[in-house]
Amino acid sequence: TQSTWGSMFVAVFGFLSLFGNADKRFSVKVEPSESTSFAKLLLKKGMLKDNQDAVNWEMSTRLAVPRRNHDCVIDGDQMISFGGRFGSNLESMNLFTGAITTAPGPLEIHHFRSVIVESLENKGEKEIWIACGYREGGGVDVEGAPLSHVVIVNPITLDFRNGPEIPNELSVSACGALALTIEENQPPHICVFGGSVGTHDNGTFQDTIGCYDRSKKKWDISILGKLPVVADHLNIGYIPRGTCGNDSPEKVVLINYRSSSYGESPPDVFALELFRDSNGILRPNPKGWDKLGDANPTSAAEIAIYGKYIFTFGGVNHIIVGHSMAHTGYGEEFINAFDVCTSVEHRKVARNIAGMRFAHALCHVPPYLSQYAFICGGHAFPKYRELYGNVTFADGLSRTDCEVTDLEKLVLQLERNSTDTRQN
């Protein structure tokens, strides 16, 4: 959803910092000898199902409410899931005990992206900002009801409130989102990319980019220009300066999206280089977006960025068959890796534990957990229902399972064996 801390902070911090100055609210004391692997710690606590020599593990505790088209944030020792189609409450799971706390809610929003930032009003606290999405009940078979105001969630209390009004140009669903430091040495802006207006199946796709300056309390819909294509159900990733060498610029990357309702997803990956002007303001390269390469064509996927790799989890490709729509895909079961420095995509570097998955949530993680991707919920394929039964909500299509993937292990695996690649 990463569009996330995992996307923005890709440097690897020592895991010891997790229980030092990184976050004071972790409730489990960890000895130095135990702290070398977060996954091993969760295994020891019984929170992951043992999987010998694995790169990913299924979590022992499931979501309290099945959900898809939702989002997830890890803050302290809590994994907070919120929103989604037919899963409107907020729930917080303790990563080390599995205990779940639910808020009365409802937070009736789906098809959105969120970002997590430091609060400007309450120093030391964090806030989750939701700047696009449908209200529950809208946008699928009836006219959509996009958000009129940003929704701000407190990850500790699970309370939420309305934030600034969203301008008409940015009142969309299924957008991409990032927190970007537009003005040097100032709090990051909340930026919204693309999305669609109207119904899920017949909406108007957008190429707009808008950023909200939380200090000055105003929107700017021109600061980063426009997307190179109209897109919804998209992923936007942030690549820091120096990722591909000392002089390589920072950039944002567009990958995995729809450009038409139930049309085949484009494979194109685009990148927009960014630079700072003499006043320290982040500006787009005047040349605009460049095509970076091709990736497995999917939408409703999730990405996690680790070093130079964009890891794509699941997704779906929509193709019209006669007068009916069929979910088809080229990588729904697999994790793929796109190298932003060489434009090489590595296919099928690992398999999702539960098989095919889309419209799921990949949790925003703080920098000291950037090695791990936490995935929860999503669309339930028949294989999932065969394994777990119809333990779903409302329409019988949402899932409750979660899994954790070690991205560092995937990188080491890629470096050892890069035979399954495709040069773009």
Side-chain angles (χ1 to χ4, degrees):
T1 351
Q2 280 198 289
S3 40
T4 62
W5 279 19
S7 299
M8 294 184 64
F9 302 99
V10 296
V12 182
F13 286 75
F15 184 65
L16 285 172
S17 66
L18 176 60
F19 298 94
N21 296 324
D23 200 308
K24 300 296 186 184
R25 294 186 296 105
F26 271 85
S27 58
V28 176
K29 180 174 175 58
V30 180
E31 298 302 325
S33 60
E34 296 178 306
S35 63
T36 55
S37 169
F38 184 67
K40 286 181 180 179
L41 174 64
L42 291 184
L43 282 165
K44 184 174 181 178
K45 299 295 179 183
M47 290 302 296
L48 299 181
K49 296 182 179 180
D50 198 3
N51 193 359
Q52 293 292 326
D53 300 320
V55 296
N56 48 11
W57 303 264
E58 184 177 357
M59 293 185 67
S60 301
T61 303
R62 293 175 173 272
L63 297 175
V65 177
R67 40 179 106 233
R68 68 183 192 266
N69 304 113
H70 60 296
D71 218 340
C72 174
V73 165
I74 291 177
D75 184 46
D77 56 6
Q78 300 295 313
M79 184 173 73
I80 304 150
S81 300
F82 48 95
R85 290 177 66 183
F86 316 111
S88 60
N89 73 330
L90 294 93
E91 61 179 276
S92 184
M93 180 194 300
N94 187 295
L95 288 172
F96 299 109
T97 67
I100 293 178
T101 301
T102 57
L107 182 63
E108 297 179 329
I109 303 172
H110 61 92
H111 281 84
F112 64 92
R113 295 285 189 183
S114 67
V115 296
I116 184 165
V117 291
E118 296 290 336
S119 172
L120 299 186
E121 287 76 25
N122 301 303
K123 189 174 181 179
E125 294 187 7
K126 300 183 182 73
E127 294 176 338
I128 301 166
W129 281 55
I130 302 171
C132 79
Y134 288 126
R135 288 291 186 184
E136 183 64 66
V140 179
D141 298 317
V142 297
E143 277 301 310
L147 296 183
S148 59
H149 290 75
V150 171
V151 174
I152 303 172
V153 180
N154 184 315
I156 299 176
T157 65
L158 303 186
D159 294 329
F160 56 91
R161 69 184 192 276
N162 276 346
E165 185 174 3
I166 300 172
N168 289 335
E169 300 95 323
L170 301 175
S171 185
V172 297
S173 67
C175 69
L178 286 176
L180 288 175
T181 303
I182 299 294
E183 192 171 343
E184 201 168 29
N185 301 319
Q186 294 297 315
H189 291 35
I190 309 300
C191 297
V192 177
F193 298 78
S196 54
V197 176
T199 64
H200 181 281
D201 296 353
N202 297 290
T204 302
F205 289 69
Q206 304 296 305
D207 60 2
T208 50
I209 304 174
C211 295
Y212 183 75
D213 184 334
R214 294 183 296 142
S215 297
K216 298 177 182 176
K217 301 185 185 307
K218 67 176 185 178
W219 289 93
D220 189 330
I221 58 173
S222 62
I223 187 70
L224 295 180
K226 293 183 178 293
L227 291 174
V229 292
V230 295
D232 81 349
H233 290 73
L234 64 150
N235 283 292
I236 290 284
Y238 172 76
I239 308 299
R241 182 177 180 84
T243 297
C244 298
N246 292 336
D247 296 327
S248 64
E250 59 188 298
K251 63 184 69 174
V252 290
V253 175
L254 167 64
I255 187 172
N256 306 128
Y257 55 92
R258 299 192 315 174
S259 281
S260 61
S261 298
Y262 295 124
E264 192 165 358
S265 297
D268 309 280
V269 180
F270 293 99
L272 178 65
E273 293 184 355
L274 304 171
F275 70 97
R276 294 201 178 275
D277 64 17
S278 58
N279 295 316
I281 306 299
L282 196 66
R283 302 289 185 187
N285 188 318
K287 296 187 304 181
W289 294 76
D290 290 322
K291 180 172 177 177
L292 194 59
D294 289 337
N296 188 50
T298 60
S299 65
E302 290 290 340
I303 63 169
I305 299 178
Y306 192 74
K308 65 176 183 173
Y309 292 104
I310 300 177
F311 290 98
T312 300
F313 294 78
V316 67
N317 204 2
H318 298 285
I319 297 177
I320 298 294
V321 181
H323 295 289
S324 64
M325 185 277 294
H327 288 313
T328 66
Y330 304 101
E332 297 153 353
E333 296 184 55
F334 299 99
I335 304 168
N336 299 318
F338 186 87
D339 185 330
V340 298
C341 300
T342 65
S343 296
V344 171
E345 185 181 56
H346 303 256
R347 294 285 181 88
K348 302 180 181 180
V349 297
R351 183 187 295 268
N352 293 317
I353 289 175
M356 294 183 286
R357 185 194 293 266
F358 71 96
H360 46 291
L362 196 152
C363 298
H364 305 297
V365 296
Y368 47 82
L369 289 184
S370 63
Q371 177 179 339
Y372 298 96
F374 292 75
I375 301 171
C376 282
H379 195 287
F381 284 87
K383 180 180 177 182
Y384 172 81
R385 293 198 291 273
E386 290 171 10
L387 289 172
Y388 299 112
N390 196 26
V391 288
T392 56
F393 198 76
D395 65 345
L397 291 174
S398 300
R399 26 189 336 159
T400 59
D401 60 317
C402 301
E403 58 187 88
V404 181
T405 299
D406 189 327
L407 302 177
E408 187 172 80
K409 283 189 175 181
L410 289 183
V411 170
L412 293 174
Q413 179 176 298
L414 285 168
E415 291 175 351
R416 287 195 303 264
N417 181 12
S418 60
T419 57
D420 187 14
T421 64
R422 176 166 60 84
Q423 180 71 46
N424 295 314

